[in-house]
Amino acid sequence: MAASGAVEAGPPGAAAAPSSAPARDHLFRPISAEDEELQPTEIESLCMNCYRNGMTRLLLTKIPFFREIIVSSFSCEHCGWNNTEIQSAGRIQDQGVRYTLTVRAQEDMNREVVKTDSATTRIPELDFEIPAFSQKGALTTVEGLISRAISGLEQDQPTRRANEEAVAERIDKFIVKLKELKQVASPFTLVIDDPSGNSFVENPHAPQKDESLEITRYSRTLQQEEMLGLRAHLPGRAHPASHVVLQVLQFNTNCPECNAPAQTNMKLVKSGGAIEPLGTRITFHITDPSDMTRDLLKSETCSVEIPELEFELGMAVLGGKFTTLEGMLNDIRELVTKNPFTLGDSSNPGQAAKLQEFSQKLDQILEGNMKAHFIMDDPAGNSYLQNVYAPEDDPEMKVEQYKRTFDQNEELGLNDMKTEGYETGLAAQR
């Protein structure tokens, strides 16, 4: 399992072009209601409903957790037909992601949702599934997803009633069930499974933990990688870019201190650490400003919790990091406070005040004016927090080893891993 903090080598010559990153940042600007320069590009295009000219609008923007996207909208003033969709302009993430949302109230229907082309949407209570690549990506809400499914089913109903009346009647009954879901008469489950890792479901309680939303990140199967086009090369043949792993790439930059010309060496690395027999939970009591300088190693599989702030950071969020306690807290603040889903004109009343309170308390912890507990829970056992009293025990730090649950082993891919007798199976395949 590779740390997402690893540097990725781009195409030849890409690293040597210092203007490419600023130009891309200029194209893909963070989405904001206050940014007057963030305007869509308008293109006159053919309406596929009435075959007269309509207007397509394209907006290149950034959304946290979803990276860069292209929002496109088409409208026709002649027949009134319109369509909105999104396309991912960023890279496929290192892991897939699965969002499991329990919808209990009408407020849950208003949650923002980013669904990519490669995401599968399921409602287990109705045995309903929208397969991957059967719809275009969408920036919508939970209610919008259900409405879109209803529209898709209703679209061909006139033809079905003429040719297959029994099938049309069954679909009509199912559409009624979908419409009842929008009233939230009883709780139901919405699952969005995206092997590309680029889908997103809003947490309206941020920065607090969302009890109704479960986020699971997982390693893709071979079939999912083939579906995403990540295994297009022939089996047994080296990937065209595999030689980059063995190279140390060099490119010219400026020194961050004196701005003099300098050279940066870069090598693609991959985590090679084994999964420990037991998981590790580190509970540290922050009592002094000097605690901020402690070295900290957070693996991809490690979750972070600060009980005093009612904050929990799930596995794989922020990737793997080797930093200090202060650096980790600053990363957490940036992750939470710069999420536009919780700010601007799309936020709920009181959300800005809640985030401001969170940021103020985090500042107090960083300055040593507020005591708090910092908990690292790593089922793989590969995370670490410096003990400044070593080899003696740290009076403010508790390190526990524990046996992983079945679900934790499932997330780490250990339940299906065969470690004994696999040689016999391989010999039989040959």
Side-chain angles (χ1 to χ4, degrees):
M1 190 176 291
S4 61
V7 178
E8 291 193 354
S19 61
S20 62
R24 188 173 179 86
D25 287 343
H26 180 72
L27 285 174
F28 294 90
R29 300 163 67 93
I31 189 168
S32 172
E34 286 75 28
D35 189 352
E36 297 181 357
E37 297 182 13
L38 187 66
Q39 298 295 329
T41 301
E42 297 187 347
I43 305 171
E44 191 174 1
S45 52
L46 181 68
C47 174
M48 301 308 294
N49 188 50
C50 68
Y51 299 101
R52 301 173 73 177
N53 281 350
M55 187 66 67
T56 296
R57 295 173 176 83
L58 300 175
L59 180 66
L60 282 63
T61 187
K62 290 181 181 177
I63 294 179
F65 313 108
F66 188 57
R67 313 309 190 273
E68 298 161 342
I69 65 170
I70 301 173
V71 182
S72 64
S73 174
F74 176 83
S75 60
C76 178
E77 63 179 7
H78 304 290
C79 67
W81 190 74
N82 60 77
N83 180 46
T84 303
E85 59 187 49
I86 65 167
Q87 291 180 328
S88 174
R91 67 180 182 89
I92 294 175
Q93 303 306 307
D94 296 327
Q95 292 181 306
V97 65
R98 183 185 304 109
Y99 290 89
T100 304
L101 173 66
T102 303
V103 180
R104 296 187 174 93
Q106 197 65 42
E107 290 76 14
D108 292 326
M109 301 295 290
N110 299 326
R111 291 179 186 241
E112 299 279 359
V113 174
V114 175
K115 176 190 171 297
T116 67
D117 299 13
S118 59
T120 299
T121 304
R122 293 194 298 271
I123 302 177
E125 288 82 356
L126 299 183
D127 196 19
F128 176 67
E129 178 175 312
I130 303 174
F133 297 106
S134 62
Q135 289 183 345
K136 291 289 186 180
L139 173 59
T140 180
T141 61
V142 174
E143 183 177 8
L145 279 179
I146 297 176
S147 297
R148 195 179 187 191
I150 293 172
S151 299
L153 291 173
E154 290 178 336
Q155 184 175 0
D156 295 326
Q157 279 297 82
T159 305
R160 292 193 192 100
R161 290 190 183 96
N163 301 328
E164 300 175 283
E165 187 175 352
V167 174
E169 288 179 359
R170 289 199 299 268
I171 292 178
D172 281 335
K173 292 178 181 179
F174 191 82
I175 290 173
V176 171
K177 293 180 180 180
L178 286 175
K179 290 181 177 179
E180 288 174 352
L181 289 183
K182 296 170 66 174
Q183 307 303 320
V184 199
S186 60
F188 67 93
T189 307
L190 176 71
V191 181
I192 297 179
D193 192 335
D194 186 2
S196 76
N198 281 331
S199 289
F200 172 79
V201 176
E202 178 194 9
N203 172 10
H205 309 291
Q208 279 76 36
K209 180 181 178 181
D210 190 342
E211 298 295 341
S212 299
L213 182 64
E214 179 183 346
I215 306 173
T216 305
R217 287 175 172 80
Y218 58 87
S219 299
R220 285 183 287 268
T221 63
L222 294 178
Q223 290 79 5
Q224 288 173 328
E225 292 194 344
E226 289 174 1
M227 179 183 70
L228 295 173
L230 298 178
R231 288 188 172 267
H233 59 285
L234 296 176
R237 183 176 175 182
H239 193 279
S242 60
H243 67 282
V244 176
V245 178
L246 304 177
Q247 295 181 355
V248 176
L249 305 178
Q250 296 182 337
F251 52 94
N252 297 324
T253 56
N254 290 338
C255 173
E257 297 296 331
C258 65
N259 206 35
Q263 193 173 67
T264 297
N265 297 327
M266 181 179 72
K267 188 177 188 303
L268 184 65
V269 296
K270 183 177 181 180
S271 172
I275 295 176
E276 297 298 318
L278 298 174
T280 301
R281 183 182 296 106
I282 302 173
T283 304
F284 178 59
H285 190 202
I286 303 173
T287 58
D288 191 85
S290 61
D291 292 333
M292 295 296 114
T293 62
R294 293 191 183 222
D295 289 334
L296 180 149
L297 174 63
K298 175 194 173 295
S299 77
E300 275 191 335
T301 56
C302 180
S303 61
V304 174
E305 184 179 356
I306 306 175
E308 287 78 3
L309 301 184
E310 299 181 33
F311 175 80
E312 183 172 334
L313 185 73
M315 289 173 55
V317 182
L318 292 178
K321 283 184 175 290
F322 179 61
T323 179
T324 61
L325 183 56
E326 180 182 16
M328 177 58 66
L329 292 177
N330 282 325
D331 287 340
I332 289 173
R333 175 169 55 187
E334 183 175 357
L335 178 75
V336 172
T337 58
K338 291 190 177 181
N339 183 353
F341 279 117
T342 59
L343 299 172
D345 55 3
S346 65
S347 62
N348 294 326
Q351 214 162 27
K354 192 164 56 175
L355 285 175
Q356 185 177 6
E357 181 184 0
F358 174 84
S359 183
Q360 290 173 349
K361 288 184 178 179
L362 202 56
D363 286 338
Q364 291 177 9
I365 294 174
L366 286 164
E367 295 166 0
N369 297 326
M370 177 179 174
K371 296 181 180 180
H373 290 83
F374 185 84
I375 303 173
M376 301 172 63
D377 192 339
D378 187 358
N382 289 328
S383 294
Y384 161 83
L385 183 62
Q386 182 184 12
N387 175 8
V388 295
Y389 295 92
E392 303 296 329
D393 292 337
D394 190 329
E396 302 296 342
M397 185 162 63
K398 180 181 180 182
V399 181
E400 303 171 87
Q401 307 288 329
Y402 63 88
K403 185 177 179 179
R404 286 183 290 269
T405 64
F406 178 87
D407 290 339
Q408 288 174 325
N409 282 330
E410 186 71 18
E411 289 188 0
L412 296 174
L414 298 178
N415 291 333
D416 299 325
M417 189 178 294
K418 189 175 182 181
T419 58
E420 296 179 359
Y422 59 88
E423 300 94 339
T424 306
L426 289 174
Q429 291 178 7
R430 297 194 187 99

